Amino acid sequence: MLIAILMTNTDDSAFSQAHPGDGEKFSALFRELRPSWKFEVFNVKDGVYPRQTSHFDGVLITGSPASVRDEAPWIKQLEHLVRQIFSEKTPMFGACFGHQVIATALGGKVGYNPAGWSLGTVQTIWCDSDGATPVNLYAAHKEQVVELPEEAAVVSVSPGCPIAGFAIGKHVLTTQYHPEMTPEFISALLSEMEKDTDQETINAARLSLSTKADREKIRNIMVSFFENAR
């Protein structure tokens, strides 16, 4: 299995440099279950895109502190690529920013979370043919999808976020949350954000971390998606 990881993280701070990149985080997550899988990472926020995507077994779009509603040229180019990938029916997974850019590229809309920042551990409800399954995931966002693309179906909901994940057919799947984050990273992220975020939000997020994310559950969902999408 060969997966293209489209890196959208625009954070070049010392904090970001001190931790593994999102491409490395996602690769490590998949390899916990599928050690033979291979990955190619493209820094699309720097204008580095794959020449073609149809030869990949899947494409994954990462999270980013950037807003999909910005007019940055790289975001517009990424939306164009999303539409191309969609037309080819190459399996495509989006997380956080990736979830949002897939939505906007295909006709959906993104807006602010009415409650402000969603940080820490959040219980999502994942709905599939087997029923509704609670899946705890790490959150770090203040925008979310507010209108689905055409033909999309909600597959995940969470408090204050009725479109926490969606699917289109068998070849598109998304989540508003961060499957790649480890407990150590989210804890460090909250400490980094403390200087620019109100203390009440940080305190609530830290309290939520007593519940760890269900990395195994979301990893299994993602692996199953890529293996069964074609």
Side-chain angles (χ1 to χ4, degrees):
M1 185 77 72
L2 177 62
I3 306 294
I5 299 178
L6 308 186
M7 278 257 292
T8 64
N9 191 349
T10 56
D11 182 8
D12 293 322
S13 68
F15 169 80
S16 179
Q17 296 298 317
H19 295 273
D22 288 346
E24 187 176 344
K25 290 191 188 81
F26 273 111
S27 298
L29 177 67
F30 283 118
R31 284 178 176 142
E32 291 173 4
L33 189 64
R34 295 290 185 266
S36 65
W37 284 20
K38 299 184 183 302
F39 305 88
E40 289 187 29
V41 179
F42 300 87
N43 290 305
V44 296
K45 57 93 175 179
D46 295 327
V48 180
Y49 291 81
R51 291 186 179 179
Q52 60 178 359
T53 56
S54 58
H55 73 285
F56 288 99
D57 297 299
V59 174
L60 186 149
I61 307 175
T62 73
S64 175
S67 170
V68 297
R69 298 188 291 172
D70 290 342
E71 294 298 319
W74 72 268
I75 295 177
K76 296 303 179 185
Q77 187 175 353
L78 179 56
E79 288 183 326
H80 176 77
L81 181 59
V82 165
R83 289 189 285 270
Q84 176 185 320
I85 295 167
F86 181 76
S87 68
E88 295 168 350
K89 292 194 173 182
T90 299
M92 179 167 50
F93 185 94
C96 200
F97 179 94
H99 157 80
Q100 295 173 12
V101 79
I102 292 172
T104 57
L106 300 180
K109 293 182 180 178
V110 167
Y112 284 112
N113 177 0
W117 274 105
S118 178
L119 284 173
T121 308
V122 174
Q123 185 182 78
T124 72
I125 303 299
W126 201 276
C127 306
D128 57 26
S129 58
D130 295 326
T133 304
V135 182
N136 295 316
L137 295 172
Y138 293 134
H141 65 270
K142 59 181 177 180
E143 293 182 302
Q144 59 193 37
V145 175
V146 296
E147 186 175 314
L148 284 169
E150 187 176 352
E151 299 183 8
V154 172
V155 295
S156 177
V157 299
S158 61
C161 187
I163 306 176
F166 66 84
I168 303 177
K170 293 180 64 178
H171 62 287
V172 174
L173 186 65
T174 73
T175 177
Q176 177 57 67
Y177 298 95
H178 287 275
E180 81 284 7
M181 287 187 180
T182 62
E184 295 76 18
F185 180 81
I186 188 69
S187 180
L189 179 63
L190 293 182
S191 295
E192 175 68 12
M193 294 180 65
E194 190 166 13
K195 61 181 179 291
D196 299 316
T197 309
D198 70 273
Q199 198 61 49
E200 183 179 357
T201 297
I202 294 295
N203 289 345
R206 283 206 175 106
L207 184 62
S208 76
L209 295 187
S210 61
T211 301
K212 291 185 178 181
D214 295 320
R215 282 174 60 86
E216 182 176 334
K217 284 184 181 179
I218 190 63
R219 180 201 65 197
N220 291 350
I221 288 170
M222 295 166 68
V223 166
S224 178
F225 164 70
F226 280 119
E227 290 184 336
N228 295 289
R230 288 190 183 274

